[in-house]
Amino acid sequence: MKQFFKSKFFYIITVITLLAAIVPTVMYSMGVTPILRNAVGVVLTPLQKMFNSATDSIDGFAAYFYKFDELREENEQLKAQVAELQSQIYDASELEKMYEWMTDFIEVKIPHTDYKFLAATVTGRESGNYSKVLNLDVGSSSGVRLNMPVITSEGIVGRITEVGLNWSKVTTIVEANSSVGAYVERTNDAGVCVGKFDLSSEGLCELNYLPADSDVRVGDRILSTGFGSVYPRGLVVGYVESVEVNPYTRALTVRVKCSTDFSDLTNVMIITSYETVAVDGSKLTDN
């Protein structure tokens, strides 16, 4: 805008306007005939129209910039409103996830009224391509102790193997040398699920010590027996993925796909206390 008012075009228009206003007055005072005044009017009228158009354009140009400032301010306000709405949507989404998570654990709690839970968040994982050790954000100050079982609503995660003041570590059931007393739900045949180094990256463990005549099949659900005083009875370990029979020894090699996806865990529950129950259903002790 400032450059326009300093331009030659602006000066020319200004001079023409002054002439258009002054010349008729001067001519009238000098007694110039109407014919001459008419001739001058013929010459000046197009110039006056051009100046009026230019003035309208300038007014429109100024109005555009004034409107632009209003639009820019309105746009900033809209951006702030959108950011606030996005924040509200995120909060609502997080609350919905938390609600779903708590609902899942309530479903676990209903048939196991003796369970006492402590919620925990997964804060990290041990480095290494096949490591299945998780870091949690709770420790001894929250009552966490060694060998407490850790679960999700889908089933067993593992057990507490290290405890700090405000942190702890979980060794999952697929980690090498981990073991869980387990049985086939359909047949009630008992064995032991053990972690294997070459299977852990696939979320698999191996069910050993089943009877040679066991009728275990692909798809069977595997549950914890409760023996060994770490995991309570009836927690889901996983589902049978494959069954192989050694042609010489007739021993079974059963691979179990764990029900929990260890790579995608964010929230878990630590079972801080539960009743140990015998096979016949009688109560033994409180863990």
Side-chain angles (χ1 to χ4, degrees), residues 57-98:
S57 298
I58 293 170
D59 290 341
F61 191 63
Y64 169 79
F65 275 98
Y66 178 75
K67 192 68 175 178
F68 178 79
D69 290 338
E70 285 187 340
L71 290 173
R72 182 168 57 185
E73 182 178 354
E74 184 179 350
N75 186 51
E76 292 300 322
Q77 293 175 352
L78 288 173
K79 283 182 178 179
Q81 292 175 5
V82 169
E84 177 64 22
L85 288 173
Q86 288 177 334
S87 177
Q88 292 176 7
I89 291 171
Y90 174 79
D91 292 342
S93 177
E94 290 300 305
L95 286 173
E96 183 179 2
K97 290 179 182 178
M98 182 61 69

Side-chain angles (χ1 to χ4, degrees), residues 18-277:
L18 291 174
L19 287 174
I22 296 171
V23 170
T25 304
V26 173
M27 292 177 66
Y28 178 79
S29 63
M30 294 174 63
V32 179
T33 61
I35 296 175
L36 181 58
R37 288 173 60 193
N38 184 57
V40 173
V42 170
V43 174
L44 293 180
T45 297
L47 296 177
Q48 287 178 320
K49 290 178 64 177
M50 181 176 68
F51 177 76
N52 290 334
S53 298
T55 303
D56 292 340
S57 298
I58 293 170
D59 290 341
F61 191 63
Y64 169 79
F65 275 98
Y66 178 75
K67 192 68 175 178
F68 178 79
D69 290 338
E70 285 187 340
L71 290 173
R72 182 168 57 185
E73 182 178 354
E74 184 179 350
N75 186 51
E76 292 300 322
Q77 293 175 352
L78 288 173
K79 283 182 178 179
Q81 292 175 5
V82 169
E84 177 64 22
L85 288 173
Q86 288 177 334
S87 177
Q88 292 176 7
I89 291 171
Y90 174 79
D91 292 342
S93 177
E94 290 300 305
L95 286 173
E96 183 179 2
K97 290 179 182 178
M98 182 61 69
Y99 173 78
E100 292 176 355
W101 179 61
M102 293 304 296
T103 300
D104 289 339
F105 277 105
I106 289 172
E107 292 178 358
V108 176
K109 178 73 173 176
I110 289 173
H112 302 286
T113 56
D114 57 306
Y115 289 5
K116 292 183 180 179
F117 289 128
L118 174 65
T121 299
V122 177
T123 59
R125 292 167 170 76
E126 294 291 300
S127 60
N129 293 334
Y130 302 108
S131 180
K132 296 297 179 184
V133 178
L134 309 177
N135 300 323
L136 304 183
D137 64 346
V138 292
S140 58
S141 61
S142 301
V144 178
R145 301 191 306 274
L146 289 176
N147 289 325
M148 282 184 169
V150 180
I151 68 170
T152 68
S153 58
E154 284 77 29
I156 296 176
V157 175
R159 62 188 177 91
I160 300 292
T161 51
E162 288 187 57
V163 181
L165 183 63
N166 60 354
W167 60 269
S168 54
K169 291 187 178 182
V170 182
T171 297
T172 65
I173 57 175
V174 294
E175 185 73 359
N177 300 319
S178 291
S179 62
V180 182
Y183 69 99
V184 182
E185 183 180 30
R186 183 177 57 82
T187 65
N188 210 36
D189 293 331
V192 178
C193 273
V194 296
K196 297 279 188 175
F197 178 79
D198 58 334
L199 299 179
S200 62
S201 62
E202 301 175 59
L204 297 171
C205 56
E206 198 169 272
L207 179 57
N208 297 331
Y209 308 116
L210 286 178
D213 60 350
S214 174
D215 186 35
V216 60
R217 301 173 187 173
V218 172
D220 279 343
R221 189 163 74 157
I222 307 301
L223 307 178
S224 58
T225 61
F227 301 147
S229 70
V230 173
Y231 303 100
R233 183 178 178 83
L235 295 177
V236 179
V237 177
Y239 298 84
V240 175
E241 183 169 274
S242 66
V243 179
E244 296 179 4
V245 180
N246 187 305
Y248 302 104
T249 64
R250 306 305 300 170
L252 298 174
T253 300
V254 180
R255 290 186 174 179
V256 177
K257 180 68 174 180
C258 295
S259 56
T260 301
D261 182 1
F262 304 107
S263 64
D264 195 35
L265 282 180
T266 54
N267 299 294
V268 297
M269 282 287 188
I270 301 172
I271 301 178
T272 58
S273 176
Y274 65 91
E275 293 179 357
T276 302
V277 179

